Amino acid sequence: MDRIVVLDFGGQYSHLISRRIRELGTYCEVLPCDTPIEELRRIPDLKGLILSGGAASVYEKDSPKCDERIFGLGIPVLGICYGHQLIAHLRGGKVVRGESGEYGVTEFKVTKKSKLFEGLKGKERVWMNHRDVVRELPEGFEVIGSTDHSPIAAFEGKNVYGVQFHPEVSHTPNGMKILENFLSICKARRAWSMRDFAKRTISDLRERLKGKRAIIALSGGVDSSTAAILVSKAIGKDLVAVYVDTGLMREEDREFVEKVFSKFDLKLRIVDAKERFFNALKGVTDPEEKRRAIGKLFVEIFEEMAREEGAEVLVQGTIYSDRIESGITKYSSRIKSHHNVAGLPRELNLELCEPLKDLYKDEVRRLAKELGLPDEIIKRHVFPGPGLAIRVVGEVTPEKVEIVRKASYIVEEELKKAGLYDGVWMAFAVLLPIKSVGVQGDERSYKHPIVVRIVESRDAMTANFFRVPYEVLERISTRITNEISQVNRVLYDISNKPPATMEWE
Ligand code: XMP
């Protein structure tokens, strides 16, 4: 399986580049920019390198760099934005701070014939996002394109290319053509498929985990389910999947997980820890403290399980967007201090194995399908690690969790009936710690309100509230107040993210 590697200098779009290359049919993964050269040499079928963008300036002492020996690997190298400047800098050219920045869509002129721009017109619209510019080219390099602001907006050297703009974003209409040309330059075969990825990953995992026992927290979400099946196909019963019944899960969740995984050759352990979780949450009202309490208990339970099972490896279904939200890629700026990744903090004294870490959600879904997971899992909405505890605003009690659980079930069921479930990111209920007056059966009531939250999102980074048809909202509202005796009022959350988040806590 031919591969391209993106070396990540902390750019916002580093992973988008890898995704685009995969869309073009060649397998691509992202590695830290300072990946040792020996490691790169060991990658089988490595056909080309792409140096990503990044926020730093190449001439600063501490800015991220890569090993200069990458130019001696005998494979084509393409630099994008920071990567473009870095190539110039490392090869003896000059990069300086531009007089002004160049941001947004810009007109770019192809000034010299190059394989990189084959099939392009003389003038192209490209998307720019930079302040520094390449002022002088290294020896043996030629300019192949420019903009008004950047005379050296693209260059070519021997087996090396650089573009100041971002071909990977959709604002560069012919960006995919440029990436496709780069793949041709690399002579990379474009025959990658999810099936190959599954096969290759399983065989890599078998090699890596040989003779070790592993454990995974299986929540029944698509990520952990896919990771569990992938690893179990590699090491069989040496993987133990643990489903922790926290008491904070969705309606009939445990039964659902048992039913789905009974069809797979997976060693599944169910741990009933409801009491422990509710005890740990007693008196806790602060959202972060809730997460900490839950995380801590998860770790405790996991340590117990790992000890009992003699596991030394922890498998997690972390996907790419979990990592970017947590600011985990080495040089990216931290967007916000997010929740623990994939529901489990990293303090466990176990070797970490994250086979999905470079995949986007829709790619994980495709992989899940390839592995034979049912649609019920593949299309299931995501669910936060801390579960319903962060949907009960204020103190969490079993009674309050039960209210939210029932209400969420109604929201989901009505959306499914209306054929809207698959089109939204998440749909759930939140219980507020206040009460309001109502009238039911000629009597005054004083009860909690439920907030219904339904959001659309592509990648969890941003979200819009979903424009639910009023009839559906009304059915949801009526059912919630009819079927849940502790509720007399239903609200619909019309906030987008940002400024709100999807969850209330
Ligand atoms: P927010 O509320 O940050 O949520 O807009 C974005 C996505 O992340 C999920 N989420 C969590 N997942 N642990 C998790 O594993 C958490 O602590 C957590 N908080 C939010 C949320 O459900 C949504 O899909």
Side-chain angles (χ1 to χ4, degrees):
M1 181 169 68
D2 287 357
R3 296 188 195 209
I4 300 290
V5 160
V6 174
L7 290 181
D8 179 17
F9 294 88
Q12 257 177 297
Y13 303 107
S14 310
H15 277 76
L16 189 57
I17 304 171
S18 74
R19 188 200 161 109
R20 294 287 185 238
I21 299 290
R22 292 199 294 268
E23 278 175 25
L24 287 166
T26 301
Y27 185 62
C28 184
E29 61 194 333
V30 180
L31 293 177
C33 58
D34 50 5
T35 302
I37 191 82
E38 297 73 28
E39 210 174 294
L40 293 175
R41 284 203 184 103
R42 274 200 299 272
I43 297 176
D45 305 324
L46 181 60
K47 296 293 179 189
L49 280 180
I50 299 181
L51 314 189
S52 83
S57 288
V58 295
Y59 44 77
E60 278 164 10
K61 202 170 130 269
D62 294 328
S63 58
K65 304 269 167 25
C66 57
D67 193 315
E68 288 185 44
R69 287 173 291 176
I70 60 161
F71 300 107
L73 286 172
I75 50 173
V77 179
L78 170 67
I80 293 176
C81 196
Y82 180 90
H84 163 84
Q85 296 160 8
L86 186 67
I87 293 174
H89 178 78
L90 292 176
R91 304 301 297 275
K94 193 168 173 193
V95 177
V96 296
R97 189 173 163 81
E99 271 134 43
S100 64
E102 195 174 20
Y103 305 102
V105 175
T106 310
E107 190 177 279
F108 169 82
K109 286 187 216 75
V110 177
T111 55
K112 189 161 189 305
K113 204 164 156 0
S114 164
K115 276 191 182 156
L116 192 65
F117 297 145
E118 221 160 79
L120 262 62
K121 298 186 277 300
K123 279 186 192 153
E124 289 290 331
R125 284 157 61 80
V126 301
W127 194 77
M128 290 283 200
N129 189 24
H130 72 116
R131 174 90 198 214
D132 287 350
V133 290
V134 176
R135 179 60 51 82
E136 285 168 27
L137 277 185
E139 231 182 84
F141 280 50
E142 283 182 305
V143 180
I144 54 172
S146 60
T147 67
D148 284 348
H149 180 81
S150 309
I152 309 179
F155 60 65
E156 178 177 340
K158 194 165 173 290
N159 234 2
V160 200
Y161 300 81
V163 289
Q164 180 57 69
F165 58 86
H166 289 266
E168 71 277 19
V169 304
S170 55
H171 311 292
T172 301
N174 280 324
M176 284 299 259
K177 180 71 194 140
I178 296 172
L179 295 176
E180 195 181 335
N181 287 341
F182 182 64
L183 292 181
S184 305
I185 293 168
C186 295
K187 300 194 174 61
R189 255 172 303 162
R190 291 170 50 194
W192 176 76
S193 69
M194 243 341 146
R195 177 162 302 170
D196 294 331
F197 176 80
K199 262 186 13 213
R200 170 68 68 129
T201 310
I202 291 166
S203 94
D204 286 354
L205 286 168
R206 197 169 288 144
E207 187 65 25
R208 181 183 154 190
L209 302 176
K210 200 168 15 189
K212 295 180 179 169
R213 283 180 65 79
I215 189 164
I216 181 169
L218 179 71
S219 69
V222 64
D223 303 342
S224 65
S225 302
T226 306
I229 296 303
L230 201 58
V231 176
S232 82
K233 284 194 191 282
I235 61 169
K237 295 279 189 277
D238 282 331
L239 172 74
V240 181
V242 179
Y243 174 88
V244 182
D245 186 353
T246 58
L248 304 166
M249 308 304 281
R250 289 173 267 198
E251 179 89 1
E252 309 241 314
D253 197 71
R254 173 178 172 165
E255 295 76 5
F256 169 77
V257 166
E258 278 174 324
K259 190 185 106 218
V260 168
F261 290 96
S262 65
K263 300 194 177 87
F264 287 89
D265 191 24
L266 178 75
K267 189 167 169 191
L268 178 64
R269 272 189 75 170
I270 308 270
V271 183
D272 187 339
K274 293 197 238 1
E275 236 183 271
R276 285 172 81 174
F277 276 90
F278 282 115
N279 280 338
L281 288 167
K282 228 172 236 161
V284 181
T285 53
D286 179 76
E288 289 302 305
E289 236 174 85
K290 278 185 193 172
R291 283 201 168 77
R292 269 196 297 278
I294 292 168
K296 194 164 155 262
L297 197 48
F298 250 114
V299 173
E300 266 175 45
I301 293 172
F302 255 76
E303 270 170 349
E304 291 165 18
M305 289 299 119
R307 225 175 299 128
E308 275 179 30
E309 296 289 344
E312 48 189 308
V313 177
L314 173 70
V315 179
Q316 284 203 280
T318 319
I319 68 169
Y320 163 64
S321 58
D322 298 329
R323 296 195 299 145
I324 195 82
E325 281 252 308
S326 302
I328 280 174
T329 56
K330 204 161 174 184
Y331 293 99
S332 70
S333 43
R334 199 180 185 93
I335 295 169
K336 70 170 179 171
S337 155
H338 206 62
H339 46 76
N340 48 61
V341 168
L344 203 63
R346 304 184 151 225
E347 306 123 40
L348 284 169
N349 202 8
L350 294 169
E351 179 189 330
L352 203 59
C353 170
E354 297 175 311
L356 313 177
K357 70 181 187 337
D358 286 321
L359 299 187
Y360 282 72
K361 197 84 188 179
D362 59 316
E363 293 178 312
V364 174
R365 293 202 166 106
R366 273 167 43 216
L367 177 59
K369 190 140 198 98
E370 191 58 51
L371 295 172
L373 279 155
D375 267 5
E376 292 155 287
I377 293 269
I378 295 172
K379 294 192 172 166
R380 211 172 185 208
H381 287 168
V382 295
F383 188 68
L388 299 174
I390 56 168
R391 295 178 180 173
V392 170
V393 178
E395 191 184 0
V396 180
T397 62
E399 298 72 34
K400 287 185 168 176
V401 168
E402 197 47 42
I403 296 174
V404 164
R405 184 172 9 246
K406 277 196 201 147
S408 285
Y409 183 74
I410 292 171
V411 175
E412 290 197 340
E413 198 175 52
E414 287 303 324
L415 275 190
K416 282 180 188 161
K417 279 194 209 154
L420 299 170
Y421 179 88
D422 290 345
V424 304
W425 179 268
M426 274 199 317
F428 58 93
V430 178
L431 181 71
L432 299 187
I434 52 165
K435 287 187 175 180
S436 74
V437 175
V439 53
Q440 278 169 304
D442 291 336
E443 265 181 51
R444 177 186 189 273
S445 67
Y446 190 53
K447 297 178 177 178
H448 293 293
I450 278 283
V451 177
V452 173
R453 180 99 168 117
I454 308 175
V455 290
E456 291 179 302
S457 174
R458 280 174 65 89
D459 54 10
M461 317 263 193
T462 60
N464 291 329
F465 74 85
F466 181 61
R467 282 149 173 80
V468 204
Y470 277 168
E471 315 80 71
V472 179
L473 267 187
E474 187 168 30
R475 272 200 296 278
I476 290 174
S477 164
T478 309
R479 276 193 63 191
I480 289 178
T481 45
N482 281 354
E483 294 174 32
I484 307 174
S485 61
Q486 299 94 327
V487 178
N488 64 355
R489 196 176 286 274
V490 178
L491 315 171
Y492 189 58
D493 185 343
I494 53 167
S495 332
N496 293 334
K497 169 186 181 175
T501 50
M502 295 190 206
E503 302 289 348
W504 270 56
E505 292 199 324

